[in-house]
């Protein structure tokens, strides 16, 4: 029986290690490597066509309301399309107890406007605005009319609501690995359901240890039962 | 004088106590491998309930809205009319918490901070916001059985918060998955004497990543899978042990239940009718008994048909419970020649006399390898290509082994059991034929959308498990368990890997 157990345990172990290696290096794109962490997506980008959101005069101002600033919203990315005449802009993030103003000069035409942000101590909801500072310049931000992308923020240009969603994405400043992200991931799950994060840790431990061990145990017990059973008549 | 011992208090629920004692006794005597596999199913099912972001399963917001409207108002939502597809509560969750764009954008994240949740709760206090999702609902033409059961569960859930209730609605699927695995074991017990083979058959079902994923989202496919597993097991029992009125009633009840759960359950009815016919042919009951059996079979079919009609006739689903993927029909004319060509080219290369397929980019690999084993969320969560390559190689070797095992053991083991094999083949062929037919009809309207995804194959999970069992059985008593261990080990890793990529996609 012990020999049979070896015959079961070894293939399971080999299969597990092979799959684990495959998963880590080839199968799961994020498991073994550091990656940029998207921390919030108030409004996502378009699928098919870009809806241009233009700032064409000095003082033109585009805003998104209902933006959540949190300790994770460390860098904001605002995609633009090429215009040939990008100008300097003022970036403003404001919420109760939180205010950031940055002037951004000469970023590459048509590339993302990237702004590093100090973060609030606790999450707050506020507004994000960009103002064109120079005359005879032209900036086109990326927007979308697609219903699949509809989200909470309302975009305005010079105070007037626009139908399009203005694509806004927040990142964390440093890339992280899957293992680094686990506590945050379980915390996020806990926020949108009822078990506490500690209970999810317990569940995770049971799954990670229990599934491989359970498979081995089930097969081993089955073979033991077959060995103990009387031979068929 | 006082009695020496106090009289024993009678249990207020003697029946329940006896039932509990019997259940405990059954559990103690149940095969240990089965108990372990059931435990694995439960653990994976519960984990999946939390892994997929709220309302981000396939069409989950529509399914939840159906259940909520039924539970809150007693009415099925409209299919084509109404004032709101989702209730105010579901709509707030989708937009205030950012769950709506997540369905389509792989990098999108939910708004999960305390500030977002406070805003959501502040805007969602009014109970009236739970009752205004009267339609149009994209799944309102689905038959009502799963939604009726979930609506009862919705009412008894301990929290009124939608996010909490959603977890409870998902957890409802865990017992269904346990039943699926139990019926798979019972079917395996009819096919194999050896416990290790039963364990392999049941194990590939228990740790199948797609079963776990569908257990963790609100979707009638969970109940459909269970009913199919029950139908397959009872069909085998009936063919093997004989036709009785009770078995006929249960079989037709299960078939009708599947049809009342999802349009894709309709093929189970002809399949179980074939099982009844084979059992009748095998055991030849007399005319009087045949009549009793026929009546017993007809009653549940009629009862479920009437209930389905009554529940759905109050809405604009046209009194019919089937729509969308089952009866959708595009503008172009149906052509059997084109359909045949499409099915051929789904599996094989185009022959010289064939026109190009209506959809030539979606075939065997996409359905049976990629989507059956490993595409999750709203079809955007996938492994890397190399994983599917490996699965495809293993599947090809498995099919060759299965063919070899059937050929090698036909005379000695299988020929005498041809009615059971015919039933299993019929379930498989009828189900897949219906899937292709529905897909083809849909593609007449929209050739880009094949409307054929891996979870549609989950009802055939017991057949898949039995096929794996036959294949490894053919390898003999020395090599068979080793290969079986490798298959289950690989499956376990696939299951854990799918959970990991889902966690990263939604929560990382």
């Amino acid at each position: 029986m012990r020999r049979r157990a070896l015959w079961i345990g070894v293939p399971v172990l080999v299969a597990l290690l092979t799959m684990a290696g495959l998963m880590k290096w080839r199968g799961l794109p994020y498991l073994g490597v550091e990656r940029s962490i998207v921390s919030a997506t108030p409004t996502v980008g378009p699928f098919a066509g870009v809806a241009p959101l233009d700032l064409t005069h000095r003082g033109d101002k585009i805003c998104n309301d209902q933006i959540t600033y949190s300790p994770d919203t460390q860098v904001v990315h605002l995609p633009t399309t090429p215009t040939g005449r990008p100008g300097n802009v003022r970036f403003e993030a404001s919420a109760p107890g939180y205010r950031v103003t940055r002037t951004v000069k000469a970023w590459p035409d048509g590339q993302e406007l990237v702004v590093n942000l100090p973060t609030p101590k606790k999450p707050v909801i506020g507004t994000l605005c960009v103002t064109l500072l120079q005359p005879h310049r032209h900036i086109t931000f990326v927007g979308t009319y697609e219903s699949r992308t509809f989200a909470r923020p309302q975009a305005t240009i010079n105070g007037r609501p626009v139908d399009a969603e203005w694509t806004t994405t927040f990142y964390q400043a440093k890339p992280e690995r899957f293992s680094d992200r686990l506590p945050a991931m379980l915390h996020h799950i806990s926020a949108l359901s009822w078990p506490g994060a500690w209970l999810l840790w317990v569940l995770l431990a049971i799954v990670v240890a229990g599934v491989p061990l359970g498979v081995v145990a089930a097969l081993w017990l089955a073979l033991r039962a077959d060995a103990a059973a009387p031979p068929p008549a | 004088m006082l009695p020496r011992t106090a009289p024993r208090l009678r249990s207020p629920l003697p029946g329940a106590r006896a039932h509990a004692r019997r259940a405990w006794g059954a559990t103690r005597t149940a095969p240990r491998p089965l108990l372990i596999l059931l435990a694995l199913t439960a653990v994976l099912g519960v984990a999946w309930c939390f892994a997929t972001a709220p309302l981000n399963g396939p069409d989950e917001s529509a399914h939840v809205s159906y259940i909520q409207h039924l539970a809150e108002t007693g009415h099925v939502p409209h299919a084509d009319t109404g004032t709101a597809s989702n209730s105010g509560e579901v709509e707030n969750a989708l937009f205030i918490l950012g769950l709506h764009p997540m369905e389509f954008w792989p990098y999108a994240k939910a708004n999960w901070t305390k500030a977002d949740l406070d805003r959501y709760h502040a805007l969602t206090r009014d109970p009236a916001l739970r009752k205004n999702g009267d339609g149009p609902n994209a799944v309102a033409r689905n038959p009502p059985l799963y939604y009726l059961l979930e609506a009862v569960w919705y009412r008894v859930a301990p929290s009124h918060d939608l996010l909490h209730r959603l977890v409870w609605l998902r957890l409802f699927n865990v017992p269904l998955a346990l039943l699926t695995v139990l019926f798979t074991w019972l079917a395996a017990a009819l096919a194999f004497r050896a416990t290790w083979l039963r364990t392999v058959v049941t194990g590939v079902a228990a740790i199948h990543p797609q079963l776990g994923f569908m257990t963790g989202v609100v979707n009638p496919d969970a109940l459909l899978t269970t009913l199919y597993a029950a139908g397959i097991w009872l069909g085998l029992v009936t063919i093997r042990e004989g036709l009785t009125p009770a078995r006929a009633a249960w079989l037709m009840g299960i078939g009708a239940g599947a049809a009342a759960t999802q349009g894709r359950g309709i093929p189970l009815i002809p399949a179980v009718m074939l099982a009844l016919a084979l059992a009748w042919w095998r055991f030849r009951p007399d005319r009087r008994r045949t009549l009793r059996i026929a009546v017993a079979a007809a009653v549940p079919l009629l009862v479920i048909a009437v209930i389905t009609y009554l529940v759905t006739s109050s809405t604009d689903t046209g009194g019919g419970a089937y729509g969308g993927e089952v009866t959708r029909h595009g503008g172009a004319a149906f052509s059997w020649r084109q359909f045949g060509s499409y099915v051929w080219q789904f599996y094989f290369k185009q022959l010289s006399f064939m026109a190009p397929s209506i959809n030539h980019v979606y075939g065997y690999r996409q359905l049976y390898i990629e989507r059956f084993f490993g595409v999750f969320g709203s079809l955007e969560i996938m492994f890397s290509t190399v994983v599917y390559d490996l699965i495809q190689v293993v599947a090809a070797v498995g099919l060759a082994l299965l063919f070899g095992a059937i050929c090698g053991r036909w005379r000695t083991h299988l020929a005498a059991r041809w009615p059971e094999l015919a039933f299993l083949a019929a379930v498989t062929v009828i189900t897949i034929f219906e899937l292709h037919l529905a897909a083809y009809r849909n593609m007449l309207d929209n050739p880009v959308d094949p409307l054929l995804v891996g979870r549609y194959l989950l009802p055939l999970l017991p057949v898949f498990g039995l096929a794996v069992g036959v294949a490894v059985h053919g390898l003999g008593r020395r090599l068979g368990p080793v290969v079986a261990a490798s298959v289950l080990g690989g499956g376990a890793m696939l299951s854990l890997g799918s959970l990991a990529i889902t966690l990263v996609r939604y929560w990382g």
Side-chain angles (χ1 to χ4, degrees):
Chain A
M1 194 58 229
R2 193 170 290 171
R3 199 172 158 193
R4 179 59 69 87
L6 198 68
W7 275 104
I8 294 306
V10 169
V12 171
L13 198 64
V14 170
L16 287 174
L17 289 176
T18 307
M19 287 296 287
L22 191 67
M23 293 284 182
K24 176 166 181 180
W25 286 291
R26 299 295 299 275
L28 297 180
Y30 304 124
L31 200 60
V33 295
E34 284 192 337
R35 64 192 171 92
S36 302
I37 304 297
V38 175
S39 53
T41 51
T43 44
V44 294
F47 266 99
V50 171
L53 298 169
D54 293 319
L55 304 185
T56 53
H57 300 95
R58 182 166 62 180
D60 276 359
K61 186 176 186 180
I62 183 170
C63 293
N64 246 346
D65 69 357
Q66 300 196 58
I67 299 290
T68 305
Y69 298 100
S70 75
D72 292 331
T73 53
Q74 295 159 3
V75 185
V76 64
H77 286 231
L78 301 166
T80 65
T81 59
T83 62
R85 291 182 296 155
N88 298 345
V89 295
R90 184 170 61 241
F91 173 91
E92 294 168 283
S94 59
Y98 178 70
R99 186 166 191 87
V100 179
T101 304
R102 295 274 187 275
T103 299
V104 185
K105 295 178 181 174
W107 79 93
D109 188 20
Q111 297 202 7
E112 291 191 335
L113 171 61
V114 179
V115 183
N116 292 314
L117 299 174
T119 55
K121 285 182 181 169
K122 60 174 187 175
V124 285
I125 295 177
T127 308
L128 181 152
C129 295
V130 176
T131 308
L132 183 60
L133 296 177
Q134 294 170 291
H136 311 300
R137 298 288 170 167
H138 186 175
I139 295 171
T140 302
F141 287 104
V142 172
T144 166
Y145 294 113
E146 295 169 32
S147 61
R148 288 179 290 191
T149 64
F150 283 175
R152 187 176 69 186
Q154 169 68 59
T156 57
I157 294 180
N158 298 331
R160 284 192 299 278
V162 293
D163 290 338
E165 308 272 323
W166 176 24
T167 304
T168 308
T169 310
F170 289 96
Y171 286 77
Q172 285 194 183
K174 291 180 181 171
E176 286 186 324
R177 289 175 189 276
F178 176 81
S179 51
D180 302 329
R181 292 295 294 164
L182 259 180
M185 287 194 272
L186 298 189
H187 177 73
H188 296 153
I189 295 174
S190 174
L192 295 185
S193 56
W194 44 258
W198 68 270
L199 196 58
L200 295 171
W201 274 110
V202 173
L203 181 62
L204 183 71
I206 292 173
V207 169
V208 171
V211 171
L213 286 177
V215 167
V216 175
L219 260 180
W220 187 76
L221 287 170
L223 286 164
R224 201 174 70 168
D226 287 338
Chain B
M1 191 170 165
L2 291 169
R4 281 188 188 172
T5 56
R8 289 183 67 183
L9 289 173
R10 290 190 66 184
S11 164
L13 291 169
R17 200 169 190 173
H19 277 301
R21 199 176 296 138
R22 270 202 299 275
W24 174 240
T27 308
R28 285 181 62 190
T29 56
R32 294 265 172 87
L34 171 63
L35 294 179
I36 291 173
L37 293 175
L38 288 172
L40 289 185
T41 308
V43 166
L44 284 169
V46 171
W48 273 104
C49 287
F50 298 106
T52 306
L55 303 172
N56 269 255
D59 304 319
E60 195 172 22
S61 56
H63 294 302
V64 169
S65 293
Y66 189 140
I67 293 163
Q68 186 178 48
H69 196 67
L70 189 58
E72 294 284 350
T73 69
H75 299 292
V76 172
H78 300 289
D80 299 317
T81 59
T83 53
S85 295
N86 299 312
S87 68
E89 190 178 43
V90 171
E91 205 73 358
N92 281 349
L94 287 171
F95 289 94
I96 295 175
L97 297 179
L99 299 169
H100 172 68
M102 283 181 89
E103 290 178 56
F104 308 103
W105 267 110
Y107 77 88
K109 304 293 180 218
N111 302 321
W112 44 53
T113 70
K114 186 175 180 305
D116 297 308
L117 285 162
D118 287 347
R119 176 156 295 195
Y120 163 73
H121 286 124
L123 292 171
T124 318
R125 286 206 184 98
D126 184 358
L129 291 175
R130 298 183 197 128
K131 299 177 181 176
N132 57 353
D134 59 344
N137 186 307
V139 299
R141 285 197 173 88
N142 276 356
L145 184 57
Y146 177 76
Y147 304 103
L148 282 167
L149 297 174
E150 280 276 31
V152 173
W153 188 237
Y154 175 99
R155 296 299 305 182
V156 302
S159 170
H160 286 182
D161 183 324
L162 177 72
L163 296 173
H164 295 185
R165 256 185 175 146
L166 181 62
V167 174
W168 288 108
L169 292 179
R170 287 175 167 185
L171 286 170
F172 175 82
N173 293 342
V174 175
L176 296 178
L178 292 175
L179 286 173
T180 299
V181 170
L182 177 64
F183 288 127
T184 304
W185 176 277
L186 293 172
L190 293 172
F192 300 109
R193 187 190 299 273
T195 313
W196 74 268
L197 281 167
R198 298 174 184 179
T199 304
V200 173
V201 172
T202 314
V204 294
I207 60 173
H208 197 287
Q210 200 67 224
L211 180 72
F213 166 59
M214 289 309 294
T215 301
V217 296
V218 179
N219 195 300
D221 281 8
L223 179 59
L224 184 65
T225 303
T226 305
L227 289 170
Y228 250 79
I232 288 168
W233 164 67
L234 195 54
L236 290 173
V237 169
T238 306
I239 292 169
R240 187 170 178 161
E241 295 178 8
L243 191 53
T244 66
R247 282 182 188 149
W250 273 107
L251 257 180
M252 285 311 294
I254 290 167
T261 299
Q262 230 295 346
R264 281 180 273 106
I266 293 172
L268 191 58
I269 293 181
V272 297
M273 287 173 81
L274 177 71
L276 292 175
L278 285 167
W280 183 87
W281 177 82
R282 203 172 194 182
F283 295 96
R284 302 290 172 119
D286 60 32
R287 188 181 292 177
R288 196 169 167 184
R289 192 170 167 79
T290 300
L291 190 66
R292 283 178 57 202
I293 289 167
V295 170
V299 168
L301 198 62
L302 281 173
V303 168
I304 291 178
V306 168
I307 291 173
T308 301
Y309 177 77
L310 289 176
V311 172
T312 57
S313 61
S314 61
T315 70
D316 64 352
T317 56
Y322 304 101
E325 55 212 44
V326 178
T327 58
R328 186 179 297 167
H329 193 288
F334 186 96
S335 158
W336 281 107
R337 186 188 173 91
Q338 189 185 31
F339 173 66
S341 171
Y342 149 68
V343 173
W344 175 271
Q345 290 179 59
F346 193 90
Y347 296 96
F348 309 107
K349 287 200 168 180
Q350 179 186 359
L351 298 177
S352 62
F353 58 85
M354 290 176 174
S357 174
I358 190 168
N359 180 323
H360 56 84
V361 295
Y362 195 83
Y364 166 80
R365 159 120 177 177
Q366 286 72 31
L367 176 64
Y368 291 91
I369 304 298
E370 293 177 3
R371 298 207 171 174
F372 181 51
F373 287 100
V375 177
F376 311 96
S378 296
L379 304 179
E380 83 282 23
I381 305 175
M382 300 182 75
F383 294 114
S384 295
T385 312
V386 67
V387 175
Y388 301 115
D389 290 342
L390 190 66
I391 295 171
Q392 189 163 2
V393 170
V394 171
V397 172
L399 282 171
L401 287 176
L402 177 65
F403 182 73
I406 289 174
C407 291
R409 293 175 182 255
W410 181 257
R411 286 197 176 179
T412 52
H413 289 77
L414 300 175
R417 302 176 75 172
W418 73 263
E420 288 146 87
L421 291 172
F423 169 62
L424 290 174
V427 173
T428 308
V429 170
I430 295 170
T431 302
I432 291 175
F433 175 82
E434 187 274 335
L435 291 178
H436 279 306
L437 192 65
Y440 169 69
R441 287 162 64 105
N442 182 66
M443 285 188 293
L444 288 174
D445 188 35
N446 179 11
V448 179
D449 183 7
L451 199 77
L452 198 51
V453 290
R455 69 174 188 276
Y456 294 180
L457 298 174
L458 274 184
L460 298 175
L461 209 46
V463 181
F464 171 65
L466 287 168
V468 174
V470 171
V472 295
H473 186 37
L475 293 171
R477 300 187 70 167
R478 277 182 177 274
L479 190 57
V482 178
V483 173
S486 307
V487 169
L488 289 184
M493 220 47 234
L494 209 59
S495 203
L496 293 179
S498 58
L499 268 171
I501 54 175
T502 302
L503 281 178
V504 171
R505 183 263 176 265
Y506 287 121
W507 309 104

